[in-house]
Amino acid sequence: METNVFKRPQALTDTPTHYCPGCGHGVAHRLVAEAIDHFGLREHTVGVASAGCSVMMYKYFDVDTIEAAHGRALAVATGIKRTHPELTVFTYQGDGDLASIGLAETMHAANRGEKVCVIFINNAVYGMTGGQMAPTTLLGMKTSTTPTGRSLHREGSPLKMAELLSKLDGVAFCQRVSLHDPDQVYEAREAIFRAFEAQLEGLGFSFVEVLSACGTNMRMKPSDAQKWVANQMCQAYPLGVFKDDEA
Amino acid sequence: MTERCERKTLTMGNIAVAEGAVQAGCRAYFGYPITPQNEIPEYLSARLPEVGGIFLQAESELASINMVLGAASTGTRVMTSSSGPGISLMQEGISFLAGSQLPAVIVNIMRCGPGLGGIKPTQADYFQATRGGGHGDYRTLVFAPGNVQEMFDFTVCAFELADKYRNPVMILADAILGQMREPATLVPEHPPVEYDKSGWILNGAHGRPSRNIRSMYLEGDGQEELNYVLQQKYEQMEEEEPRHEERWTEDADRLVIAFGTSARIASTSIREAREEGIRAGLFRPITLYPYPKKALRALTKHIKKILVVEMNCGQMLEDVLAIVPQGVKVAFHGRPGGGVPTHTDILEKLKEL
Ligand SMILES: Cc1ncc(C[n+]2csc(CCOP(=O)(O)OP(=O)(O)O)c2C)c(N)n1
C-alpha cells in the first residue's frame, strides 16, 4: 500500500516556476503555501506581489493575489488589511523593493503595526533587472553596477532590515532565516508559520527576512551559491529571532 | 421648492467633496496633507469612523495612492485627495489603477506650479489630468465642478462612474472652489448607484477559483489586448459621459469656453456684454475628459467666434482648437501662476473678437 507523504500544498498551483536553478524563491513560495495550508487560510488570504523576480507569483500561489508597483507592496497591503481585517494579508518582496525604493513604506507600515506578514527575500542583488547593486549587496561584492565591488564610502554599508525593524514598536515578530541547507529551510518554515500566527493573533507587523541565493547574477553554480550564502551572507546578516512579542 | 433645496447649509467646497464621498458610500480615505485641500482629510478623519469607514494619514502620496489601490482591489469605495506635487507623486499609482482596472476617486485641488508653486488658484493641471498623467496609454475621467454644490454632486457621480468603468476618476478644482463657502445641499439627488463587483474583487478565494489583479501581461500579446480593453472603455466613456453646460447660446454670435472658476467669472462678463448689446454665450465643459466634443461642434454651426478663458497659458485651448472646424476664430485669455482673470479683462476680449 502506498501513502503519499510529500504533497504539493493546496495553496500552490500545479505550475512549474520560471525561477533559475538554485534560486530560493521557489522554496520560499512553498514554505509560505505550507503556512497558509496549515492555518486553513487558502480561501481567506490575499498575497501582494512586488516588482522583482517574484512578480509572477500569482501563477504559483492558489490564493488571491495583486501586483504592486515597485516598492509599494506594503501600502497596497495596508489598503487591503485596513478595509478587510478579516483577510490574512502577506507581501512578498525583494531587497530592492523593500529596502530601497520602498523603504519609507516598509518603515511606516511596520511602525503603524499593520497586521500583515512580510516575506522579505534578501538575495543581495536586483535579480529581475540583471544583478545590479541592491541595498543589501555586501561590501566588496561585485555586481553589474559595482564593477569594482561595493565600497563603504561610495555606496554605504548593507542595510540590515531585520535589525532595523526590530526596533519599532509596531513590529510583533521579526526573524532572519536562510535557505542554504535543509536544516535552515526547516527553520525558515517555522519562522514563516510563526509570522502568520502573529497576524492571526492580531499582534502586529510580522517580518521574516529570508537569505536566498541568486546564482545566476552571482555568476555561480547553484551549489556554490548556496555555500556563498552560508559563508558570506550569514556572516554579514546574522540569523535569529530579533523580536517575538509572544515569546 | 423641492426637499433638496430646502436643506441648504453654508458649506466649504472641500467639505462638500468630503461629505459627497461619504454620501456616495466611500468607506476608505488615504492621504497626505497639502494646502489648499487639507479640509478634506481633516473632515474625513472624524467623519469616516462615524460611518464605519477607514481614515489613514499616509506617509506620502506614493503610499496614499497605493493604499487606495489596495482598498479598491477589495471592492471598497475609496478616495484620496491632494494638490500639485502630491498629485505628481501619485501618477505611477494612477497608471497602475488604470492598468489594473480598479475604481478610485482622486481629488486635485490644484496649486499653481511648476515646482512647489503657490497656493493661489490655478487650472494648470488640465494637461496632467486629461492626458492620463502617468505612463502608458490610459485615460482618467475628469470632472470640473463650478460651484460648491457641484463639488458635492460630482464627487457622488465620480464614485459611480469609477465603479461603472473600473477606472480612476478625478475631481479637478481650483483653490477658490476648494476654499469658498456657498449654500449647498449635502444630500444626493438619488441614492448612489451601486455596481456588482463580485466578479473581480479580491476577498479570499472562498468557494471560487483564486484571482489575480495586475497590470503586467508578459505572455503573448496580453499587454496589447489589455490596452484594447482599456480603449473600449474610453470609447464608451466618449459616447456616454461627456457633460457640459450652455448658457445664453441660443442667439449668441460669440462664445466663451471656460471651466470651473473661469467659467463663473466669464458669466459676469457675458452678462455685462449682453447689457451692451453683445450677444455672447457660455460653453462650460463639466467633464474635461471625455471632452464634450459633439456639443461644442454643434454650436460652431452658428457661432464663429470663440474666446477660451483659462487660469493657465492655454491648455484646454489645444482641445478646443482640435475640435472646432476651420473658419472659426479662436482667441485666448489666460492667467498663469495664481493670476485670476477679471471680468473686465474678459469683457474687453469679448469686444475685440
Ligand atoms: C519605479 C520602478 N523603478 C524600477 C523598476 C525596475 N525594477 C523592476 S524589479 C527591480 C529590482 C528587483 O530587485 P529585488 O527587489 O531585489 O527583487 P529580485 O528581482 O531580486 O527578486 C527593478 C529595479 C520598476 N519596475 N519600477
Side-chain angles (χ1 to χ4, degrees), chain A residues 17-51:
Chain A
T17 73
H18 69 285
Y19 299 121
C20 305
C23 168
H25 277 308
V27 177
H29 281 13
R30 183 180 168 105
L31 300 182
V32 172
E34 287 184 5
I36 292 170
D37 276 13
H38 175 80
F39 293 107
L41 299 172
R42 203 195 68 77
E43 298 185 334
H44 311 282
T45 295
V46 178
V48 184
S50 59

Side-chain angles (χ1 to χ4, degrees), chain A residues 92-242:
Chain A
Y92 189 103
Q93 302 175 256
D95 37 26
D97 194 83
L98 179 135
S100 187
I101 193 167
L103 188 60
E105 280 77 1
T106 306
M107 297 303 284
H108 285 279
N111 196 48
R112 287 191 304 265
E114 295 297 341
K115 294 174 185 62
V116 299
C117 300
V118 178
I119 310 300
F120 169 47
I121 307 296
N122 178 356
N123 60 9
V125 287
Y126 282 20
M128 192 189 211
T129 41
Q132 296 85 1
M133 183 189 72
T136 45
T137 294
L138 303 186
L139 287 177
M141 185 175 153
K142 287 184 181 167
T143 70
S144 62
T145 50
T146 50
T148 56
R150 179 175 185 159
S151 136
L152 177 64
H153 299 295
R154 197 174 47 222
E155 288 94 12
S157 58
L159 265 179
K160 295 190 171 123
M161 289 311 300
E163 284 84 342
L164 268 176
L165 290 171
S166 65
K167 301 284 183 289
L168 301 178
D169 292 341
V171 176
F173 177 73
C174 179
Q175 183 171 348
R176 183 182 290 121
V177 296
S178 176
L179 299 177
H180 63 261
D181 69 30
D183 284 346
Q184 298 303 324
V185 171
Y186 195 77
E187 281 281 320
R189 181 178 186 271
E190 298 284 293
I192 291 171
F193 275 44
R194 179 72 199 108
F196 276 82
E197 193 175 41
Q199 179 174 168
L200 291 172
E201 289 168 0
L203 296 180
F205 189 85
S206 55
F207 182 82
V208 182
E209 175 169 343
V210 182
L211 304 184
S212 172
C214 181
T216 300
N217 283 307
M218 297 292 297
R219 313 278 187 268
M220 286 178 190
K221 286 195 298 189
S223 54
D224 290 342
Q226 302 304 336
K227 280 181 207 139
W228 183 82
V229 170
N231 299 326
Q232 309 293 317
M233 287 283 277
C234 289
Q235 202 175 8
Y237 296 106
L239 305 184
V241 179
F242 291 87

Side-chain angles (χ1 to χ4, degrees), chain A residues 13 42-47 55-56 58-59 61-70 72 74-80 82-84 86-87 101 104-106 108-109 112 114 128, chain B residues 27-28 30 54-60 62-63 66-71 73-74 76 92 96 100 102 201-216 218-219:
Chain A
T13 61
R42 203 195 68 77
E43 298 185 334
H44 311 282
T45 295
V46 178
V55 67
M56 284 189 283
Y58 67 88
K59 286 184 173 179
F61 280 104
D62 196 8
V63 302
D64 279 3
T65 53
I66 185 166
E67 171 194 272
H70 193 24
R72 315 296 163 221
L74 275 162
V76 173
T78 298
I80 297 169
R82 288 281 177 139
T83 52
H84 285 268
E86 75 282 4
L87 292 171
I101 193 167
E105 280 77 1
T106 306
H108 285 279
R112 287 191 304 265
E114 295 297 341
M128 192 189 211
Chain B
R27 289 297 175 267
F30 304 95
I54 297 295
F55 171 89
L56 185 64
Q57 180 168 322
E59 60 270 28
S60 70
L62 287 175
N66 288 287
M67 290 173 180
V68 163
L69 182 136
S73 75
T74 69
T76 305
E92 183 200 34
F96 268 69
S100 311
L102 288 173
I201 57 170
L202 303 185
N203 53 359
H206 186 57
R208 59 159 172 80
S210 57
R211 287 182 184 144
N212 172 249
I213 292 181
R214 67 184 190 278
S215 56
M216 187 175 86
L218 288 182
E219 271 119 354

Side-chain angles (χ1 to χ4, degrees), chain B residues 7-12 147-149 181-186:
Chain B
R7 282 200 251 145
K8 281 193 175 174
T9 43
L10 193 62
T11 310
M12 180 190 257
N147 57 41
V148 171
Q149 186 64 57
R181 285 177 172 82
E182 279 186 322
T185 305
L186 303 183

Side-chain angles (χ1 to χ4, degrees), chain B residues 267-344:
Chain B
S267 301
T268 305
S269 317
I270 293 168
R271 271 193 219 100
E272 290 166 348
R274 286 192 163 257
E275 277 164 23
E276 296 183 32
I278 300 167
R279 285 181 288 125
L282 176 72
F283 183 86
R284 175 172 76 100
I286 284 172
T287 52
L288 302 180
Y289 180 83
Y291 201 85
K293 289 180 192 166
K294 280 184 196 157
L296 178 55
R297 248 184 234 122
L299 279 180
T300 55
K301 287 209 178 92
H302 70 277
I303 302 176
K304 302 295 175 195
K305 288 183 278 188
I306 286 174
L307 174 66
V308 175
V309 179
E310 296 180 77
M311 279 147 45
N312 60 46
C313 287
Q315 297 192 13
M316 178 179 67
L317 174 65
E318 291 193 5
D319 282 340
V320 172
L321 287 171
I323 292 164
V324 301
Q326 276 195 341
V328 176
K329 183 185 172 190
V330 180
F332 176 72
H333 179 62
R335 294 276 305 273
V340 178
T342 65
H343 63 102
T344 44

